[in-house]
Amino acid sequence: MEMVVVRRGSGRSHPVRHYFETLAAIKQARGEDASVYALGDRAGGVAGPDGDSGLDNGLNLLETAFSPVRGGEGGLDRLAEKVARELGDVRRALADEDAMLLNASEHPDCTLDPDWYAAVRADRPIYRELVGHRGWLHRAGIDAKAQNGPCTAVEIGQAARALNAVLALAPACIALFANSPLQAGRITGLKENRLTLWDRMFRYARFAGDHMLQQLPERPFDDLGDYFRWMFGAATATRALPLVPSQGYKSAASVYLAGDPPLRRFLESTHWPGRRSDTGETIVLRPHSGYFEYSQFAHFLDARWRYRLATPVPLDELLAAWKRPGGIEELHGRHGADGYIEGRACGAVFADEQLVGEAGAQVASTAALAPSAVQWGLMRNLDQAERLWREWGWLRLRRMRADAIRHAMDDDEVHALARDVLDVARAGLPEGERRWLGYADYVLRTRRTGADRMLELWNAGTGGAAERLARLCAHREVVG
């Protein structure tokens, strides 16, 4: 769950200051074992029993990664309790520095210039690699582009099917949760401008494979081996690898491999020269199966398969399994893979005064949970979800993604797809939890997205961009 932070009154983008210390105190006062952790030379997050309350790419974009919630009957209800408690804590902590959350998937009027980027960017070593070594335009996302990313567990044997379904049906989710029609104080002509980020970030990257890895392939994945061959194959260049494979990818001391080979080529070698990103020291790195697991974040499609293994996999077994149809599934099954589909298509949408006034408090209260309800319903009804995307056609759905970004519910074809997706998702949910589709059903019925409501406020304003922003934010503050 990602959240856009703004100054109360003006609506200007706000980098948090003492927010994490305040947030930890709120949680501790409730009796939770919550502790502040550092990011660089300042506080960067709070770890607690419900998850990790931290930052995405900048001090103006909060991110909460919730701890796993037990599925089955009542699963969405249990998640909703966590989300409501977290939003309440976040709003209280921000109030202490005269800031608030804005219901948007991108700040409507924030600069992307290098000075702002340098001042606001979170202090993570990986960003130095992405900008300095790979040539990404990372600052294209420093205006608080925010998603609400549902993460849904799935059995290893169904992982590729589930991934294909979420990827293919993403245009429906993009449209239903579109919430970013403005950028830098201007109307973009798109309902979900946030999703132009990846093309802009990678268009002039040093490695062509980086741009390729944000474009849906022309066919679905046959199995996980196929998925990883696409991600780590000949057209790609491996990201910097940690000295120790078990290190986290956002904070590890890393090594640039000489010649920037694909990960697969490195894993098939006996050793590879490289240099440390922090000291410039020349070293030799030896392949290890842990680098395969470590690099699972390397692409930027609308969904990812994320996993961890209970026991290590010998490298020779991994390489052999990778060549066999279904081999990765079988191997990871034997090594206790615990995995989930990470959805990335849904823009951040929350309840606000405007939505409550239009749709009512009951519908508005489902906005933050609706993406999880959609994805969980699809996963629980995977046969029908697969049948649906095959009926629509992979290449047709691939093309429709751009239409969803630009037009959302105004496009009749996208609207029809969204109707079909919600029917499949609803059939997959327990009857008592179908109410969490309320916001998505409302958007489908009215064809009014968060982006449409935002544009209405913006266009009704008078004066310059600053006056319009202040008025918009007065109606779009996230409420409980």
Side-chain angles (χ1 to χ4, degrees):
M1 184 171 72
E2 296 174 354
M3 297 158 280
V4 176
V5 186
V6 300
R7 291 288 295 175
R8 185 173 298 282
S10 71
R12 304 305 302 173
S13 187
H14 176 74
V16 294
R17 300 191 300 267
H18 51 271
Y19 162 79
F20 291 113
E21 293 87 347
T22 307
L23 181 66
I26 290 170
K27 294 178 181 296
Q28 290 163 0
R30 197 166 51 233
E32 293 183 15
D33 182 17
S35 58
V36 178
Y37 60 82
L39 192 60
D41 59 0
R42 56 160 291 154
V46 176
D50 281 343
D52 188 303
S53 307
L55 299 168
D56 187 60
N57 62 340
L59 300 173
N60 58 342
L61 180 56
L62 303 179
E63 176 186 80
T64 297
F66 292 100
S67 55
V69 173
R70 178 169 53 87
E73 193 79 27
L76 287 173
D77 295 337
R78 288 185 285 274
L79 178 59
E81 291 177 5
K82 285 192 174 188
V83 169
R85 183 163 55 245
E86 178 72 358
L87 284 174
D89 291 350
V90 169
R91 291 170 59 219
R92 286 178 59 196
L94 287 175
D96 195 57
E97 49 190 82
D98 201 27
M100 67 183 211
L101 294 180
L102 179 67
N103 177 24
S105 57
E106 176 181 2
H107 192 283
D109 188 10
C110 180
T111 182
L112 298 173
D113 72 38
D115 290 340
W116 172 257
Y117 175 68
V120 175
R121 185 187 71 178
D123 187 10
R124 292 191 177 98
I126 190 173
Y127 296 151
R128 294 192 288 274
E129 173 211 346
L130 303 184
V131 176
H133 182 67
R134 304 190 79 88
W136 294 8
L137 188 65
H138 190 243
R139 62 184 172 87
I142 205 64
D143 56 350
K145 291 180 170 69
Q147 67 179 22
N148 191 341
C151 295
T152 311
V154 64
E155 294 180 3
I156 183 71
Q158 301 300 316
R161 291 182 66 212
L163 181 66
N164 284 335
V166 176
L167 287 171
L169 300 175
C173 291
I174 292 169
L176 288 167
F177 301 101
N179 203 19
S180 57
L182 300 164
Q183 179 172 294
R186 297 180 177 87
I187 296 173
T188 64
L190 308 176
K191 295 295 180 71
E192 187 63 344
N193 185 73
R194 169 186 69 97
L195 282 176
T196 64
L197 170 62
W198 309 121
D199 177 67
R200 293 159 61 196
M201 186 180 293
F202 306 129
R203 188 179 302 165
Y204 303 110
R206 180 181 178 190
F207 307 110
D210 290 353
H211 190 264
M212 182 270 291
L213 289 177
Q214 56 89 34
Q215 301 172 77
L216 188 66
E218 293 186 351
R219 62 172 180 81
F221 298 110
D222 294 332
D223 58 11
L224 286 182
D226 189 32
Y227 170 66
F228 287 118
R229 281 190 292 275
W230 169 81
M231 199 191 316
F232 302 144
T236 66
T238 188
R239 298 271 283 273
L241 297 175
L243 292 169
V244 179
S246 60
Q247 288 180 291
Y249 77 89
K250 286 189 177 180
S251 58
S254 56
V255 177
Y256 302 139
L257 297 182
D260 302 290
L263 182 68
R264 184 170 185 173
R265 187 177 170 197
F266 165 66
L267 292 178
E268 291 173 341
S269 72
T270 57
H271 59 276
W272 204 281
R275 62 180 176 86
R276 288 185 56 146
S277 61
D278 52 350
T279 66
E281 175 189 2
T282 300
I283 66 170
V284 172
L285 206 62
R286 299 193 179 279
H288 187 284
S289 65
Y291 290 124
F292 186 90
E293 184 176 355
Y294 167 86
S295 299
Q296 63 184 273
F297 61 89
H299 74 78
F300 288 83
L301 297 184
D302 291 325
R304 293 171 175 155
W305 164 246
R306 301 299 301 269
Y307 71 96
R308 62 181 177 183
L309 300 175
T311 57
V313 174
L315 181 59
D316 58 344
E317 290 186 27
L318 170 65
L319 294 176
W322 204 357
K323 298 175 182 177
R324 300 192 305 268
I328 295 295
E329 286 86 342
E330 185 275 331
L331 179 71
H332 282 186
R334 285 194 286 109
H335 287 269
D338 181 14
Y340 60 89
I341 300 298
E342 174 197 7
R344 297 165 50 82
C346 303
V349 180
F350 301 96
D352 62 20
E353 175 192 283
Q354 184 191 31
L355 180 58
V356 171
E358 286 192 15
Q362 186 173 356
V363 167
S365 69
T366 67
L369 258 289
S372 291
V374 173
Q375 185 163 298
W376 192 46
L378 293 176
M379 295 303 91
R380 285 172 54 98
N381 197 8
L382 190 53
D383 286 346
Q384 195 170 341
E386 183 173 54
R387 190 176 304 117
L388 177 63
W389 73 254
R390 289 189 184 279
E391 288 173 355
W392 277 82
W394 181 270
L395 290 178
R396 180 186 180 191
L397 291 166
R398 185 176 186 258
R399 172 188 56 78
M400 286 173 61
R401 184 177 186 272
D403 296 328
I405 291 171
R406 178 167 293 279
H407 303 295
M409 289 289 104
D410 291 341
D411 185 282
D412 289 341
E413 189 177 34
V414 172
H415 182 260
L417 174 67
R419 179 196 60 223
D420 289 351
V421 166
L422 289 181
D423 285 345
V424 172
R426 184 174 294 103
L429 292 175
E431 186 173 352
E433 293 179 86
R434 292 173 182 172
R435 70 184 184 281
W436 293 113
L437 293 173
Y439 175 76
D441 286 335
Y442 173 78
V443 170
L444 182 74
R445 183 175 69 256
T446 63
R447 301 179 80 151
R448 275 174 62 80
T449 67
D452 295 300
R453 296 190 300 274
M454 183 181 292
L455 283 171
E456 189 174 90
L457 286 172
W458 186 264
N459 289 329
T462 57
E467 291 79 12
R468 289 172 185 263
L469 177 65
R471 181 179 183 278
L472 184 153
C473 290
H475 296 280
R476 300 276 297 201
E477 177 182 2
V478 174
V479 298

